[in-house]
Amino acid sequence: MPPYPGFFGPAYQSASYMAATERCINFYLEKNETPNAPTPYCLLPTPGFELLVTVAEGPIRAIVSDVDSRCFFVAGFALYEWNGTTATARGTLAADEFPATLCWNGPAGGELFITSGDVGYILTLATNILTIELASGASMGAFLDGYFLSLDSSTGTLRLSDLLDGTTWDPTQIAQRTAAADPWIAMTVVHREIWLMGALTSEVWYDAGSFPFPFAPIPGAFIEQGVASAFSANRDVAPLMWVSRNSSGERMVMLAQGYAAQRISTHGIEQQLNAYDDVTLVDSLIYQEDGHTFYCVTFPNETTWAYDTTEGAWHERAYWNSLTSTYEPWRVSCHAHAFGMHIMGSRSNGALYRMASDVYADVGGVPMRRMRQPPRISSEQRHVQVKSVQLVMDVGIGLGGLSTTQGYDPQVMRRCSRDGGKTWGPERYKSAGKVGEYNARVIWQPCGQARNYVDEFTFTDPVPFRIAEAVIDMSVGTH
């Protein structure tokens, strides 16, 4: 049978459902790097979540690791240290609805700088004493060349601590933008440079070694793109990415290329972003695993979009609410790599999770629902007769044990639409093979006919669904 056209593709939903209505939820594309592979891509499951620890406060608003081999997180209004086993409270913080920020000034300084609820704190690592150093105007924090940096997004003011001393902030060591009228509302450090982003434009500063204020704008490093959501700007182990805005419009996703902004969102993604009511509380995280780097940006009450910088493809990360039978945004909000694990914080309570590709449940231990909806099949609006559809995938992946255990006989659910995706027929189930059933075939036949045929494949069992190939046997009629 020939390959299923477009099965291995990204998420792309056009304003016209007849133009494109592809979805890819909790799956991501991976290119087969061997030239002998039968198909250029495969579809792999996104990792699941395993509970590590829960504290009384929540949600988790920031995590940082490698702080003198220590790991800290902000849960609601509290600062905690996690040693890989237990969480220890380190103090009480102000809190608001925005993420917190955490950074440290290295072994020479021995301090952790926290911004939370517009207040700036220092935790002295040698004594674990937490003190308030900026009573207000601390929206975001960062560290560069021995200095802590604090941005007041309400006034667009950049403040600077003393060298390797976050307990001293000279009130004269401040800067405000003069290159453009829109105040700075976001800040991040990239390659020893400070990206200062306004609502409409952005600029880049560096350590010029000047006196008394050491930082200055880089000549020519002015970007005609601002940020629509301050905490969407994230760079971690990847190039800086953010949800943009400028004087002409808003809500594209940009990637920094030198001192230029490259659009990485698609028209399909942008149609979705611009349909959302409010993007003020958008948050983002970046993590790297198995050669892929993912930028995950969550729009509350909508969904989480994930961009794989390795493959240049988008997909969705989503939590399946079985009570409402709807997909909701990812239920994690921040990330750190610590103790050899990807640590994720809950956006709804005080839970820390281990995220791993060998875990197949969602947060709370509920099933993770995965879905791939490939593009519409049509041929000059003639009837297409679909005789069979088969997924060539890892089979014999059942969990074993009791037959009542979910995953004992993992199922793949398929339904189809004959009107381009507006209405759907019933689901038909096929087994992906009980444990050891390595000759199982995940095939549906017959599948009917239509002028605008769309399939949807859904997976909910806690097993490693990996799809290597999709094939379809179809013929085109005369009318």
Side-chain angles (χ1 to χ4, degrees):
M1 288 189 290
Y4 194 120
F7 183 88
F8 294 101
Y12 192 103
Q13 294 176 267
S14 170
S16 166
Y17 72 93
M18 291 295 281
T21 182
E22 295 182 61
R23 301 196 74 179
C24 189
I25 303 177
N26 297 328
F27 276 115
Y28 66 93
L29 285 171
E30 181 172 273
K31 185 176 182 179
N32 290 319
E33 295 181 325
T34 170
N36 302 317
T39 58
Y41 288 93
C42 61
L43 207 58
L44 299 180
T46 57
F49 303 95
E50 179 181 65
L51 181 65
L52 292 172
V53 67
T54 302
V55 298
E57 302 84 1
I60 307 300
R61 300 171 51 233
I63 314 175
V64 68
S65 62
D66 296 325
V67 178
D68 200 19
S69 300
R70 298 164 71 178
C71 178
F72 295 89
F73 64 95
V74 175
F77 55 83
L79 175 68
Y80 281 89
E81 180 175 357
W82 187 63
N83 64 7
T85 304
T86 59
T88 303
R90 295 299 185 201
T92 300
L93 310 169
D96 57 20
E97 55 191 350
F98 293 101
T101 68
L102 299 163
C103 58
W104 79 304
N105 56 5
E111 298 168 336
L112 180 70
F113 179 45
I114 308 106
T115 68
S116 178
D118 208 43
V119 179
Y121 303 82
I122 287 292
L123 179 73
T124 302
L125 297 175
T127 61
N128 292 322
I129 295 175
L130 183 70
T131 56
I132 296 176
E133 301 300 335
L134 298 174
S136 63
S139 307
M140 292 182 173
F143 173 77
L144 179 62
D145 288 358
Y147 300 95
F148 283 128
L149 312 170
S150 176
L151 178 69
D152 181 352
S153 62
S154 64
T155 62
T157 303
L158 177 66
R159 300 185 65 173
L160 191 67
S161 75
D162 275 11
L163 189 66
L164 295 175
D165 181 7
T167 64
T168 304
W169 297 76
D170 186 335
T172 67
Q173 291 290 80
I174 62 172
Q176 288 184 298
R177 86 179 306 191
T178 57
D182 52 317
W184 297 319
I185 58 174
M187 170 186 67
T188 188
V189 170
V190 182
H191 304 312
R192 292 188 63 203
E193 296 171 341
I194 312 167
W195 281 62
L196 293 160
M197 312 180 80
L200 304 175
T201 61
S202 304
E203 57 190 294
V204 186
W205 287 43
Y206 77 116
D207 188 346
S210 51
F211 182 83
F213 196 84
F215 297 100
I218 297 174
F222 186 86
I223 302 95
E224 297 284 355
Q225 292 286 345
V227 61
S229 313
F231 285 92
S232 72
N234 205 315
R235 54 89 46 196
D236 202 359
V237 295
L240 176 64
M241 288 170 275
W242 71 97
V243 179
S244 73
R245 179 186 175 194
N246 63 22
S247 58
S248 300
E250 62 178 314
R251 301 188 193 180
M252 294 190 293
V253 183
M254 295 293 181
L255 179 146
Q257 290 277 44
Y259 301 131
Q262 175 189 336
R263 169 181 172 263
I264 58 172
S265 52
T266 63
H267 295 308
I269 298 293
E270 290 149 6
Q271 293 282 353
Q272 301 298 310
L273 303 191
N274 283 290
Y276 302 156
D277 290 335
D278 184 20
V279 298
T280 306
L281 296 178
V282 167
D283 60 72
S284 63
L285 62 88
I286 294 176
Y287 78 94
Q288 178 180 298
E289 187 173 44
D290 297 334
H292 297 261
T293 299
F294 298 102
Y295 168 71
C296 303
V297 55
T298 295
F299 296 81
N301 303 318
E302 303 294 347
T303 193
T304 298
W305 290 102
Y307 180 70
D308 182 353
T309 64
T310 305
E311 305 295 351
W314 288 90
H315 62 274
E316 292 179 72
R317 303 286 176 102
Y319 175 89
W320 177 254
N321 188 328
S322 60
L323 297 178
T324 60
S325 295
T326 56
Y327 288 104
E328 297 179 351
W330 221 14
R331 292 204 171 183
V332 292
S333 61
C334 48
H335 164 268
H337 191 264
F339 307 104
M341 297 180 284
H342 288 287
I343 312 301
M344 312 293 281
S346 169
R347 68 172 55 255
S348 59
N349 56 38
L352 289 185
Y353 295 94
R354 177 179 80 98
M355 182 182 70
S357 56
D358 62 353
V359 178
Y360 310 112
D362 213 322
V363 298
V366 303
M368 181 174 286
R369 187 179 178 95
R370 311 178 191 277
M371 190 259 274
R372 172 59 181 158
Q373 183 177 309
R376 174 176 62 92
I377 294 175
S378 182
S379 180
E380 300 175 343
Q381 286 303 290
R382 292 179 291 175
H383 275 103
V384 175
Q385 178 74 42
V386 181
K387 300 174 183 177
S388 66
V389 173
Q390 181 176 353
L391 300 184
V392 182
M393 55 188 291
D394 292 3
V395 293
I397 53 177
L399 296 180
L402 298 175
S403 60
T404 55
T405 301
Q406 184 181 12
Y408 171 81
D409 184 10
Q411 301 291 307
V412 181
M413 296 165 278
R414 173 194 157 274
R415 63 176 184 168
C416 71
S417 171
R418 306 184 195 285
D419 53 17
K422 293 298 288 185
T423 62
W424 296 89
E427 289 182 330
R428 296 171 61 188
Y429 290 66
K430 292 294 177 180
S431 172
K434 300 174 185 177
V435 61
E437 292 183 352
Y438 302 124
N439 289 318
R441 295 183 71 192
V442 185
I443 185 170
W444 294 264
Q445 55 188 15
C447 300
Q449 64 177 356
R451 289 189 174 90
N452 298 290
Y453 178 91
V454 182
D455 270 322
E456 180 190 275
F457 303 89
T458 305
F459 314 74
T460 59
D461 286 301
V463 297
F465 289 111
R466 303 183 183 102
I467 307 172
E469 194 174 357
V471 293
I472 187 168
D473 184 2
M474 64 181 183
S475 60
V476 180
T478 58
H479 64 282

